[in-house]
């Protein structure tokens, strides 16, 4: 099985394929938000290809969703934080392989300062990866980039994917940016279990929303054309565990670091007055050691068993 042949024979039903293909189209909107961030004078990162990748589809989805300035800022901060975590783990933990699940229109292999020997796997549905490939023809990635086409919900496809990771035999980091929120708790549980069984995968970067955020989204956006299209008549976003990142401890994953996205918004003075007030209260309660639910966060999980420690002095990030 080659890198380019993965998508064939891996889909488990017409409905699931259609639904997942619609979910992948949200990547156009994310690319547009990254373009808007890159064009700011105080940009947190530069993505010179985001505007081209977003195309007209990105503007269309923005119109369907409505006024979403704060959502655009959340995407920008999420992108910035994941950039930071990826580069830190590569620098400190001898990472030789990055697997970006649900990669969408992400351009990190092109814009981050990465070791040329690093292997980067973009994994997503065929249409979105082919579109990105054609759009970025002639642009050289900074590492070894492979695109693997298939449906991540399908366990058969995942087993094929993980067999390749095992054969590559390199300490690995997984990214699921913007993916898990669209999945059910059962689907996320299966993925967490499968990832925990891979003895080369020691790190996992993900984003996580609290149930309150999920309910707020449903109240505000459930009647928008965007949500109805992406969700095919059902709520687009489904996963927001009550336990927060501790949800993943069942499969041996430990929280190595977590960032409060809305707190970062407040620090950067991009938050609405209400969000800024919430951040101030959260910080105050934190000083009193009163546990608080983080509404939206970027999380680094570690699985410190066997070779996942990657022969480092500590599996925790520096400063933890």
């Amino acid at each position: 099985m080659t890198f380019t042949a993965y998508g064939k024979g891996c889909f488990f039903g017409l409905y699931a394929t259609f639904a997942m293909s619609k979910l992948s189209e949200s990547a156009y909107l994310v690319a547009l938000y990254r373009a808007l961030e890159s064009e700011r004078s105080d940009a947190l990162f530069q993505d010179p290809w985001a505007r081209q990748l977003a195309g007209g589809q990105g503007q269309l989805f923005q119109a369907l969703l409505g006024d979403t300035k704060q959502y655009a800022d959340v995407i920008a901060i999420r992108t910035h934080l994941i950039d930071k975590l990826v580069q830190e783990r590569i620098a400190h933990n001898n990472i030789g392989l990055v697997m970006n699940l649900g990669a969408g229109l992400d351009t990190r292999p092109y814009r981050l300062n990465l070791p040329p020997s690093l292997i980067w796997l973009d994994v997503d549905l065929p249409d979105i990866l082919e579109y990105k490939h054609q759009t970025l023809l002639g642009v050289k990635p900074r590492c070894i980039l492979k695109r693997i086409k298939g449906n991540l919900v399908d366990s058969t496809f995942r087993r094929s994917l993980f067999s390749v990771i095992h054969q590559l035999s390199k300490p690995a980091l997984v990214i699921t940016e913007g993916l898990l929120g669209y999945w059910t708790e059962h689907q996320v549980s299966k993925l967490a279990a499968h990832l925990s069984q891979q003895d080369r995968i020691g790190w996992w970067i993900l984003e996580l929303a609290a149930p309150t955020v999920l309910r707020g989204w449903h109240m505000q956006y459930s009647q928008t054309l965007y949500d109805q299209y992406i969700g095919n008549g059902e709520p687009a976003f489904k996963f927001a565990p009550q336990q927060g990142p501790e949800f993943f401890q069942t499969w041996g994953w430990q929280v190595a670091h977590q960032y409060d996205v809305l707190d970062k918004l407040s620090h950067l003075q991009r938050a609405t007055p209400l969000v800024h007030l919430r951040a101030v209260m959260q910080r105050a309660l934190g000083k009193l050691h009163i546990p608080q639910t983080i509404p939206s966060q970027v999380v680094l999980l570690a699985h410190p068993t066997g070779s996942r420690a990657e022969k480092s002095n500590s599996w925790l990030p520096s400063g933890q």
Side-chain angles (χ1 to χ4, degrees), residues 7 38 53 65 123 150 155 203 229 277 288 304 320:
S38 300
L53 286 165
L65 191 56
V123 186
S155 58
W203 302 94
Y229 176 78
L277 177 62
L288 296 173
Q320 298 301 300

Side-chain angles (χ1 to χ4, degrees), residues 150-220:
N151 189 339
L152 283 160
V153 173
D154 181 15
S155 58
T156 301
F157 168 68
R158 287 207 303 266
R159 281 194 293 270
S160 299
L161 174 64
F162 294 151
S163 70
V164 170
I165 294 173
H166 181 74
Q167 291 169 17
L168 291 172
S169 190
K170 292 179 179 291
L173 162 72
V174 171
I175 305 170
T176 52
E177 179 183 15
L179 176 67
L180 301 188
Y182 291 108
W183 284 18
T184 65
E185 184 171 311
H186 177 68
Q187 290 169 332
V188 175
S189 297
K190 290 182 68 175
L191 177 64
H194 286 171
L195 290 175
S196 72
Q197 294 163 7
Q198 312 311 310
D199 62 6
R200 303 307 298 173
I201 298 176
W203 302 94
W204 184 5
I205 299 171
L206 54 88
E207 62 165 328
L208 207 58
T212 53
V213 174
L214 194 64
R215 289 193 293 269
W217 174 276
H218 291 164
M219 290 175 61
Q220 186 171 359

Side-chain angles (χ1 to χ4, degrees), residues 47-206:
D47 188 340
W49 303 280
R51 175 69 66 174
Q52 185 181 1
L53 286 165
Q57 296 98 319
Q59 293 178 319
L60 173 61
F61 280 120
Q62 184 185 40
L64 293 177
L65 191 56
D67 182 17
T68 55
K69 180 185 181 303
Q70 184 172 307
Y71 187 57
D73 283 335
V74 167
I75 294 294
I77 296 214
R78 180 185 84 183
T79 302
H80 167 67
L81 292 175
I82 293 177
D83 285 357
K84 171 183 170 68
L85 287 172
V86 167
Q87 293 185 294
E88 285 179 350
R89 291 311 97 218
I90 290 173
H92 295 111
N93 291 96
N94 194 33
I95 298 296
L97 173 67
V98 175
M99 181 170 58
N100 192 2
L101 303 182
L105 300 177
D106 171 59
T107 62
R108 287 188 178 90
Y110 298 91
R111 62 180 180 80
L112 293 187
N113 185 19
L114 301 172
S117 60
L118 177 75
I119 299 175
W120 188 290
L121 305 182
D122 268 0
V123 186
D124 213 325
L125 294 174
D127 288 350
I128 199 73
L129 288 184
E130 183 60 26
Y131 169 78
K132 181 160 66 171
H133 171 70
Q134 294 299 328
T135 304
L136 296 179
L137 278 176
V139 183
K140 185 177 180 181
R142 299 188 176 190
C143 59
I144 302 168
L145 173 62
K146 301 291 183 181
R147 295 192 175 99
I148 303 180
K149 303 172 183 177
N151 189 339
L152 283 160
V153 173
D154 181 15
S155 58
T156 301
F157 168 68
R158 287 207 303 266
R159 281 194 293 270
S160 299
L161 174 64
F162 294 151
S163 70
V164 170
I165 294 173
H166 181 74
Q167 291 169 17
L168 291 172
S169 190
K170 292 179 179 291
L173 162 72
V174 171
I175 305 170
T176 52
E177 179 183 15
L179 176 67
L180 301 188
Y182 291 108
W183 284 18
T184 65
E185 184 171 311
H186 177 68
Q187 290 169 332
V188 175
S189 297
K190 290 182 68 175
L191 177 64
H194 286 171
L195 290 175
S196 72
Q197 294 163 7
Q198 312 311 310
D199 62 6
R200 303 307 298 173
I201 298 176
W203 302 94
W204 184 5
I205 299 171
L206 54 88

